[in-house]
Amino acid sequence: MAKIVITGASSGIGESIAEVFYQDGDHEMILIGRSKRRLERVAKSTDAEYIICDVTNEDQVERSCSEILAQFQAAPDILVNNAGQFIPEPFLSTSSALFRQQIDTNLTGCFLVTKGLLPSMIQIQSGHVFFMGSVASVKGFTGASAYCAAKHGLLGLARSIRGETMNSGVRITTILPGATLTPSWEGTTLAEERFMPPADVAHCVLDTWKLSQRTVVEELLIRPTQGDI
């Protein structure tokens, strides 16, 4: 049984990750998100606890991490930094406010949550931290400069943490999914077949965690079979 923390767990990939771990066995999960209504629904269906938290708010994150450690009475076995936001906008029409919002949601939030929970993992020399990157972490997409900047930064952050924790017993993995059929694509006219199902991304997290402690998947790039959108 693992003790699992999933941010951005109220919908999309985060919800699917909670579902596949629930189906896997008797894990203890704490789900983090901003929408109480949606988070309650996911928590109920996966027999999980939840904490309402805006991961871009440092005070909220600090309180939430303290609550997590108290509730688990131990370090988490798995932290999935999944909280994020995709707002496409061409560079010349991207406001500074939107740029900061994308950086805060997709990058700074992961920094804050990891900073709050990683020390407890290092202390017991065990644990697995996942960062939910994107193909936009390794490829620049037109019309989404702020998002690409944030996701490129997230990959750099994960790589640096991996280097600093290599001998700590903690594994660091960045998942780099292509277009996945989540609420971010609501209203699209593209066929469902052009997208990956969120459950496929979720299973990548589960299967990567299940590898021997002697093995770590540092980065996992997955795309729709027909390529990027």
Side-chain angles (χ1 to χ4, degrees):
M1 183 180 77
K3 299 182 186 299
I4 305 164
V5 177
I6 305 170
T7 71
S10 62
S11 65
I13 292 173
E15 178 179 0
S16 289
I17 293 170
E19 288 173 349
V20 299
F21 273 100
Y22 172 70
Q23 294 160 7
D24 179 68
D26 189 24
H27 301 299
E28 187 178 353
M29 291 189 289
I30 297 178
L31 312 180
I32 293 177
R34 293 183 298 179
S35 171
K36 182 179 180 181
R37 177 181 58 82
R38 291 186 299 175
L39 209 54
E40 277 184 334
R41 175 183 57 80
V42 178
K44 183 177 181 179
S45 67
T46 58
D47 194 25
E49 301 296 324
Y50 69 89
I51 296 174
I52 305 300
C53 174
D54 179 349
V55 297
T56 70
N57 185 302
E58 189 167 359
D59 290 337
Q60 289 186 29
V61 170
E62 186 175 342
R63 287 194 299 270
S64 297
C65 289
S66 295
E67 185 175 340
I68 288 166
L69 295 174
Q71 188 164 323
F72 281 159
Q73 296 186 332
D77 298 297
I78 303 170
L79 165 61
V80 183
N81 283 299
N82 173 73
Q85 184 183 52
F86 174 59
I87 304 179
E89 188 71 33
F91 174 74
L92 291 179
S93 57
T94 297
S95 66
S96 57
L98 175 59
F99 187 84
R100 283 192 293 267
Q101 180 183 345
Q102 290 286 272
I103 296 295
D104 284 348
T105 306
N106 294 294
L107 176 56
T108 306
C110 295
F111 165 81
L112 293 174
V113 175
T114 305
K115 193 77 178 293
L117 295 175
L118 180 60
S120 66
M121 295 178 170
I122 293 174
Q123 186 174 12
I124 64 169
Q125 297 186 310
S126 179
H128 201 146
V129 179
F130 287 88
F131 292 93
M132 193 58 63
S134 165
V135 292
S137 296
V138 295
K139 177 181 177 180
F141 288 89
T142 58
S145 57
Y147 181 77
C148 289
K151 289 297 187 178
H152 271 67
L154 180 62
L155 180 56
L157 175 67
R159 286 173 170 172
S160 294
I161 295 173
R162 162 64 178 152
E164 293 181 16
T165 59
M166 191 172 293
N167 298 312
S168 70
V170 178
R171 295 187 290 175
I172 307 293
T173 297
T174 307
I175 307 291
L176 304 165
T180 307
L181 195 57
T182 68
S184 294
W185 289 94
E186 186 175 352
T188 183
T189 58
L190 294 170
E192 183 176 332
E193 289 72 24
R194 284 296 283 117
F195 298 86
M196 298 185 296
D200 285 358
V201 181
H203 278 287
C204 286
V205 174
L206 176 65
D207 294 344
T208 297
W209 169 67
K210 285 194 168 185
L211 294 175
S212 161
Q213 291 297 313
R214 294 164 55 191
T215 304
V216 60
V217 176
E218 292 182 335
E219 295 164 19
L220 182 60
L221 177 60
I222 49 178
R223 279 185 164 105
T225 53
Q226 296 182 49
D228 293 329
I229 292 174

